[in-house]
């Protein structure tokens, strides 16, 4: 894998606008960055594909273990919430998507940094925008990307009611863009997909209801479970007849305590880094990650620390594996899982080894097999 | 190794159609092997498990809310509807993406 600098397309802003990509720039700073791209070969893409599938298998095994042995303390899930999680797992509530963040430099095995299993973003740019870039800027090249068609196919198999409500916080173009894109895929799968702000969800004493006071029976929420359950309406979730996406059992995977549980269950696995709930056990430098932290907040690593509001949630301590650096940028590989299967790649880069909300999205490609064999 | 597909958008970009052929490589070892060997069932093998969900195969919670009350009430039929009971933590914590 190599980072290659390239001149951006002169009309990239207009193209982004035509696609409905409203957050190509965020707060005046570029988010979509096509001044460079990452080039892989087919074998490297296969490695990422296989690693993601293997990690998905490990994560589900860890979830099963957690439920069977009541490991909520390791995961930092409060006891009063645990029954909701267990019921969701035992019902096999369907999940739509997640994104594993991997550390890899093209050699050895990709390592799991964390699993964004509840409210992953950077979906639209991975599925559509970088593909549009590929067809325009890199015709004839290939891309690890079936992120668009896989959710459309998945919606049809999730056994949801005909109407799925979609909700997120008001005021974030990125959130709304992600939700609208998923609405797009649901509509293509034949679903009714009305939107409402998460703060506009109503409670009538029996059901959660939309703005027309119709019962909500299925709801995609780009709003974390730990927030849902902390909010005043959290008390009603257990008794309401709603199919949530992502479902409550995804708390088992979105907690960074998962990293410690994985290492306990699969010590030495090539796709894992040593991780513990206590500091000083990895045998070397460590990064401290809040169990429920997001966007790189409240991290402490050798030479780096970030602030944020998540410092009270408890920590997991993972062996420090600094991201590779190329061109002064540190890439993290976001490997998408839809309906349980690896289906594509999105890369974000930061100018520090800790990926944050200010990181930029950089496209990728790889040489089709026919081109590789001709070389 | 490839699945040809077109990306169509019905909502984003005002219902834009992004034309072209998407060349993808994915699907796991069985899919890749089937395609590499020219298996006539490759598409079925690669697509089969993507069309349905087949099962599964802290202390800080509550800090922002708990005592908070909902912000609005209306009436639908004989039942009153309270709103504003979600979103409190999002306002408190700000960005929260994975």
């Amino acid at each position: 894998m190599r980072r290659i600098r390239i001149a951006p397309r002169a009309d990239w802003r207009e193209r982004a606008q035509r696609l409905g990509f409203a957050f190509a720039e965020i707060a005046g700073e570029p988010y979509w960055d096509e001044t460079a791209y990452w080039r892989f070969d087919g074998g490297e893409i296969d490695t990422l594909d296989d690693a993601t599938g293997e990690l998905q298998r490990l994560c589900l095994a860890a979830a099963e273990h957690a439920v069977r042995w009541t490991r909520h303390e390791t995961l930092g899930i409060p006891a009063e919430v645990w029954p909701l999680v267990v019921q969701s797992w035992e019902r096999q509530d369907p999940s739509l998507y997640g994104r594993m963040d991997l550390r890899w430099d093209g050699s050895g095995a990709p390592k799991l940094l964390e699993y964004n299993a509840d409210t992953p973003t950077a979906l639209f740019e991975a599925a559509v925008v970088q593909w549009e870039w590929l067809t325009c800027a890199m015709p004839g090249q290939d891309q690890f990307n079936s992120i668009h068609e896989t959710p459309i196919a998945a919606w049809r198999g999730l056994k949801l009611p005909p109407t799925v409500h979609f909700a997120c916080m008001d005021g974030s173009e990125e959130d709304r863009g992600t939700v609208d894109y998923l609405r797009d895929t649901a509509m293509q799968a034949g679903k009714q997909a009305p939107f409402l702000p998460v703060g506009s969800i109503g409670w009538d004493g029996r059901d959660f209801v939309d703005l027309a006071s119709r019962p909500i029976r299925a709801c995609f929420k780009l709003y974390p479970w730990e927030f849902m359950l902390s909010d005043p309406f959290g008390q009603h979730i257990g008794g309401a007849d709603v199919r949530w996406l992502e479902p409550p059992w995804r708390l088992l995977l979105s907690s960074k305590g998962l990293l410690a549980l994985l290492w306990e269950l699969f010590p030495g696995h090539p796709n894992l880094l040593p991780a513990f709930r206590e500091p000083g056990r990895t045998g070397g430098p460590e990064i401290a990650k809040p169990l429920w932290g997001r966007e790189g907040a409240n991290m402490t690593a050798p030479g780096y620390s970030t602030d944020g509001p998540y410092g009270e949630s408890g920590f997991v301590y993972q062996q420090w594996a600094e991201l590779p650096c190329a061109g002064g940028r540190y890439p993290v590989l976001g490997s998408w899982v839809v309906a349980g299967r690896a289906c594509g790649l999105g890369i974000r880069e930061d100018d520090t080894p800790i990926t944050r909300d200010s990181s930029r999205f950089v496209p990728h490609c790889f040489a089709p097999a026919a081109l590789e064999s001709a070389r | 190794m490839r699945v040809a597909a077109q990306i169509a958008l019905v909502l984003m970009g005002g219902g834009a159609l992004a034309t072209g052929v998407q060349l993808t490589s994915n699907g796991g070892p069985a899919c890749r092997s089937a395609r590499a060997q020219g298996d006539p069932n490759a598409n079925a093998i690669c697509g089969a498990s993507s069309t349905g969900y087949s099962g599964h195969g802290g202390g800080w919670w509550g800090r922002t809310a708990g005592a908070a009350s909902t912000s609005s009430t209306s009436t639908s039929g004989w039942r009153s509807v309270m709103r504003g009971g979600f979103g409190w933590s999002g306002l408190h914590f700000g960005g929260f993406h994975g």
Side-chain angles (χ1 to χ4, degrees):
Chain A
M1 54 182 284
R2 283 194 303 144
R3 187 180 195 271
I4 300 172
R5 292 194 61 81
I6 187 175
R9 296 168 294 171
D11 60 345
W12 72 266
R13 285 183 178 82
E14 291 75 18
R15 287 175 172 273
Q17 190 173 26
R18 281 201 295 274
L19 288 170
F21 187 28
F23 48 101
E25 294 174 308
I26 298 175
E29 295 293 323
Y31 168 62
W32 169 261
D33 183 356
E34 59 176 68
T35 63
Y37 68 96
W38 283 89
R39 182 181 179 84
F40 296 81
D41 65 33
E44 290 169 334
I45 293 298
D46 289 349
T47 297
L48 291 168
D49 188 355
D50 291 345
T52 305
E54 170 68 357
L55 285 165
Q56 177 72 6
R57 184 184 72 81
L58 300 185
C59 288
L60 295 182
E64 174 70 36
H65 172 93
V67 168
R68 181 172 181 181
W69 298 103
T70 317
R71 299 295 302 273
H72 61 83
E73 289 186 2
T74 301
L75 298 170
I77 297 174
E80 61 269 27
V81 170
W82 191 245
L84 180 74
V85 175
V86 171
Q87 289 161 15
S88 172
W89 173 262
E90 291 180 341
R91 278 196 308 263
Q92 300 197 25
D93 288 348
S95 159
L96 179 65
Y97 79 142
R99 193 195 71 235
M100 295 179 184
D101 282 348
L102 306 177
R103 186 247 179 238
W104 200 44
D105 61 5
S107 63
K111 305 288 190 184
L112 178 67
L113 298 174
E114 62 182 63
Y115 194 174
N116 299 287
D118 187 10
T119 58
T121 54
L123 180 70
F124 179 60
E125 47 273 44
V128 174
V129 183
Q130 72 165 344
W131 171 79
E132 195 272 343
W133 167 87
L134 178 81
T135 60
C136 178
M138 293 286 153
Q141 295 295 302
D142 208 338
Q143 192 173 81
F144 182 19
N145 188 356
S146 57
I147 309 169
H148 178 73
E149 54 265 46
T150 311
I152 295 173
W155 282 116
R156 299 189 177 104
L158 294 181
K159 299 179 179 140
L160 296 171
T163 297
V164 180
H165 289 78
F166 287 73
C168 69
M169 290 285 289
D170 256 342
S172 165
E173 281 188 324
E174 184 182 3
D175 286 12
R176 186 60 194 267
T178 300
V179 167
D180 280 349
Y181 173 59
L182 279 168
R183 291 174 63 211
D184 195 306
T185 62
M187 291 160 70
Q188 293 192 51
K191 297 294 182 189
Q192 299 291 317
F195 172 82
L196 77 167
V198 70
S200 296
I201 293 175
W203 173 253
D204 70 0
R206 187 176 68 188
D207 293 309
F208 288 115
V209 297
D210 64 14
L211 288 166
S213 296
R214 295 172 301 195
I216 295 173
R217 295 299 181 214
C219 184
F220 174 90
K221 46 85 194 164
L222 192 67
Y223 189 71
W225 267 111
E226 62 268 28
F227 289 10
M228 297 268 290
L229 293 163
S230 296
D231 283 347
F233 278 179
Q235 63 186 307
H236 304 311
I237 289 173
D241 180 16
V242 181
R243 304 280 294 278
W244 300 99
L245 287 172
E246 292 297 307
W249 69 263
R250 298 291 278 186
L251 280 164
L252 300 166
L253 308 186
S254 62
S255 165
K256 291 182 182 60
L258 171 75
L259 302 169
L261 187 59
L262 283 169
W263 188 252
E264 175 190 321
L265 298 175
F266 308 103
H269 191 284
N271 295 123
L272 300 175
L273 291 165
F276 300 89
R277 284 296 313 275
E278 307 81 23
R281 295 183 61 189
T282 64
E286 298 174 337
I287 180 170
K289 299 179 174 180
L291 291 180
W292 303 102
R294 291 165 180 275
E295 298 188 331
N298 298 101
M299 302 270 194
T300 304
Y304 302 94
S305 67
T306 58
D307 57 12
Y310 299 105
E312 298 174 30
S313 67
F315 289 86
V316 68
Y317 300 86
Q318 188 182 47
Q319 184 180 83
W320 175 237
E322 188 168 297
L323 293 173
C325 184
R329 310 289 289 177
Y330 297 84
V332 66
L333 309 185
S335 189
W336 286 97
V337 177
V338 175
R341 290 187 59 204
C343 66
L345 177 67
I347 300 174
R348 287 171 302 145
E349 293 183 341
D350 203 283
D351 54 11
T352 78
I354 296 178
T355 306
R356 299 167 295 176
D357 57 354
S358 55
S359 301
R360 299 178 181 182
F361 191 100
V362 178
H364 82 277
C365 70
F366 73 95
L371 288 181
E372 280 188 358
S373 61
R375 282 207 302 252
Chain B
M1 298 224 355
R2 293 179 186 79
V3 178
Q6 291 211 330
I7 287 184
L9 300 171
V10 299
L11 180 66
M12 301 294 288
L17 177 68
T19 58
V21 175
Q22 185 179 22
L23 304 176
T24 66
S25 172
N26 73 317
C31 168
R32 289 200 301 270
S33 174
R35 291 192 186 283
Q37 294 171 19
D39 186 331
N41 296 316
N43 284 338
I45 292 170
C46 293
S49 59
S50 69
T51 56
Y53 186 78
S54 55
H56 300 320
W60 71 279
W61 313 62
R63 190 177 50 187
T64 60
S69 60
T70 50
S71 62
S72 66
T73 302
S74 62
T75 302
S76 171
W78 56 271
R79 285 201 296 265
S80 64
V81 176
M82 295 181 292
R83 299 189 190 276
F86 285 133
W88 292 72
S89 300
L91 290 172
H92 176 77
F93 284 98
F96 53 76
H97 307 121

